[in-house]
Amino acid sequence: MTALVTGAANGLGRAIVERLLDAGHDVTAIDREENGLNALAVEYKGALTVCLCDLADPEAIARTVSSLREPAFDLVILNAGISATGRFEEIPPDAYKKLIDINLQAPILLTTALSRDNRVNKGGKLVYISSLSHAVGYPGAAVYAATKDALAIYARSIRKPFKKNGVGVLTVFPGPIRTDHAELHAPPGAKASKRMAPDVLAGLVLKAISSRKTELYPGGAAAMGRFFGRLMPGLATSAMKRAIYDKLDGNTY
Amino acid sequence: MEGPCNILITGATDGIGLLLAKSYAARGHRVLATGRRALDDHRTYFGVERIVYLQADQQEPVRAAKLIAETAQKLGWENIDVAILNAAIGWAGSPDQEPARSVQNQIAINLTAPVCIAAEIAPWLFAQKGKLVLIGSTAVKGQGSFATYAATKAGLDGLARSLRAEWRGRAAVQIIHPGPTQTDMHKKAGMSVGLARRLFMRPKRVVAAIERAVRSRSKRVVVTRSYAFFASKSKEGRL
Ligand SMILES: NC(=O)c1ccc[n+]([C@@H]2O[C@H](COP(=O)([O-])OP(=O)(O)OC[C@H]3O[C@@H](n4cnc5c(N)ncnc54)[C@H](OP(=O)(O)O)[C@@H]3O)[C@@H](O)[C@H]2O)c1
C-alpha cells in the first residue's frame, strides 16, 4: 500500500507513519519540519519519502503535489493541524488566517489537487483528523474548533461524490492526545495521563481505516464526549468553558 | 434603549445584505455597509440616507477587518448594536473538480473574514452588549455539490457555539442559517438552478425572517419556509 501523511514529524502523524512503515507500506510524509524523519527514511531504506512543505501556502501545496514521486495513493491521511488558544478577541487576525489555512484550507487543497488528477486509487481512502470539539465545542479555542467543524462537514460533503469514484472517507474525532501540541495548549494543571498516547490512537485509526467505518470517536473519553455533546450540547459547551476557558492563563498561538 | 442603532452589514451590495441594509436604514438606523465593489455614488446605489458604504474586499480578510474597525472609529461610533456578517460566495460542482482558487476564495471570504472582523470589532460589541450575527446556510449539514461552501458555513456554526460561551455577559452571538433563497448567489457560484428556483424563498421574506431572528434571543435559527412565513407576521421592536 502507498500512503500520504501530513503533519508527519510529530504526534499522531508520526505514530501513524511508524506503524505503516512497520507493516511494510510505502509512505510519503509531508511536514514543515524534518525532525528525525530523514533518519527514519534511512532506517526503512526507501520506503519513506519526506517532503518539506509549508501547508499555510497554497502555492507550496500545489508545487509539492506536482512533485510527488508516487503516481497515486491508496491512503491519504490529512492530519496536520495547529491550534490557537486564548480569549477569542485577543488573538491577532494574522494568527487566525494561518490557523484556518493550515487546518482547513490545506486538507481541502490537497484533496482537490490529488483527486482532480485521479491520484487516489480506487478502493483507497481519505482520512481527515477533526477533533472531539466537534461534539462538545471549545471555548478558549473557538477558531480552532471552527476549523475542525468545517473539516468534518467537508469530509461529510464529499463522502457520496467520492464513493462514486471508489474512494472512501473516514473522519476521526480524537479527544486530547499526549503530544507536545496538547502540552502547549492544555490548561494549567491538566493531567497528561488523561490524554491518549499517539501510538494507541494511531492503532485505532488504522483499524478503522481497514473497516467500513466513516466516523471514529476513538476511545472511551471521545465516546463519552460525543454522547454528552449530542444529548446536551449547551451543557457540554458550558462544561468545556469551565474546564478550559475559565482556567486560561494567557494566549498561545 | 431607544433611538437609532449602529448596524454593520457585510456583503451589502446585493441580495440579502442589500435588502437588510436598506430596510434598517429606512427605519432610521445608522448602517455601515461593506462590499467588494467600488461604488461611484453610493447614495443612488442604496437610495437611502444613513448608509455609509465601505469597500472592504474579504478576499483579503485581515485587511478587510482592519478597514472596518478603522471606519467605525472614523465614524465616531462608540458601540455596535448589531453586526451582521453576511458576505459570502459559493462554488457549485463535483468536489474533485473544485479549483484551488475557489477553495481559497470561499475560505477567505466566508470564514476567515468573519473571524477576523469579529475579533477586530469586539470592543465595539462589548461597549453596550451588542450582538454578533453570523449568516450561515442550511448547507451546514454537508452538501456534495457545495463541499467547501458547506464547510465554511459549518465553521461559522462552530465558531458561534464556542464564542457564545466565551462572550456570555459581554455580547450576544447568534447564527442564522437561511434556506435556498432567490438571489443571484447561485448564478455567481456557477450553478444554473433552472426551475428549482421557484421553490426557493423570496429574498424579502428571508430578510424579514432574519430581522425577526435578530430581535429574538434564539442562539441558532434555521430560516425554513414556515419560519419565514411567520416572521412576515411578527411585530417590529426597536430593531
Ligand atoms: N441565496 C441563498 O440561497 C442562500 C442560502 C443560504 C445562505 N445564504 C447566505 O446568505 C448570505 C447572503 O447571500 P445572498 O444570497 O444575498 O448572495 P448575494 O446576492 O451574492 O450577496 C452576497 C454579498 O456578498 C458580497 N461579497 C461577495 N464577495 C465579497 C468579498 N470578497 N468581499 C466583500 N463582499 C463580498 C457580494 O458582493 P457583490 O454584489 O459584488 O457580488 C454581495 O453583496 C450569504 O452568507 C449566503 O451564504 C444564501
Side-chain angles (χ1 to χ4, degrees), chain B residues 11-17 34-37 45 56-59 86-89 109 135-138 149 153 178-186 188 200:
Chain B
T13 54
D14 202 2
I16 293 168
T34 76
R36 62 182 160 187
R37 306 187 195 189
Y45 190 87
D57 191 336
Q58 297 188 183
Q59 216 155 292
N86 157 82
I89 59 158
I109 295 166
I135 303 296
S137 159
T138 44
Y149 176 78
K153 296 303 189 178
T181 309
Q182 291 171 2
T183 65
D184 283 343
M185 198 191 75
H186 298 87
K188 292 179 201 170
F200 292 5

Side-chain angles (χ1 to χ4, degrees), chain B residues 7-83:
Chain B
I7 302 179
L8 166 70
I9 303 173
T10 67
T13 54
D14 202 2
I16 293 168
L18 176 59
L19 289 175
L20 277 172
K22 285 183 176 177
S23 162
Y24 281 123
R27 283 182 286 132
H29 300 297
R30 290 180 286 255
V31 175
L32 172 54
T34 76
R36 62 182 160 187
R37 306 187 195 189
L39 298 182
D40 293 332
D41 178 4
H42 72 262
R43 285 247 156 65
T44 22
Y45 190 87
F46 292 106
V48 238
E49 292 287 323
R50 286 195 217 83
I51 294 183
V52 176
Y53 177 73
L54 167 71
Q55 183 182 13
D57 191 336
Q58 297 188 183
Q59 216 155 292
E60 283 183 71
V62 178
R63 192 167 161 270
K66 293 232 151 75
L67 279 174
I68 289 171
E70 277 167 25
T71 307
Q73 188 97 50
K74 270 193 223 144
L75 289 172
W77 281 15
E78 281 168 5
N79 77 304
I80 292 177
D81 296 283
V82 183

Side-chain angles (χ1 to χ4, degrees), chain B residues 81-99:
Chain B
D81 296 283
V82 183
I84 305 180
L85 307 188
N86 157 82
I89 59 158
W91 183 87
S94 179
D96 55 358
Q97 298 302 318
E98 190 163 0

Side-chain angles (χ1 to χ4, degrees), chain A residues 8-22:
Chain A
N10 298 297
L12 175 62
R14 174 64 156 259
I16 289 175
V17 168
E18 288 178 3
R19 275 183 178 255
L20 287 170
L21 290 171
D22 277 338

Side-chain angles (χ1 to χ4, degrees), chain A residues 96-149:
Chain A
Y96 281 143
K97 183 176 184 316
K98 189 175 165 199
L99 176 65
I100 295 170
D101 288 351
I102 292 178
N103 288 13
L104 179 64
Q105 183 169 273
I108 298 183
L109 288 177
L110 285 164
T111 304
T112 53
L114 290 169
S115 57
R116 195 178 304 123
D117 297 336
N118 288 318
R119 295 183 72 178
V120 185
N121 289 327
K122 262 199 167 42
K125 205 160 247 185
L126 295 165
V127 182
Y128 298 87
I129 310 297
S130 178
S131 162
L132 182 57
S133 65
H134 185 55
V136 294
Y138 198 166
V143 180
Y144 169 83
T147 63
K148 293 302 186 179
D149 291 327

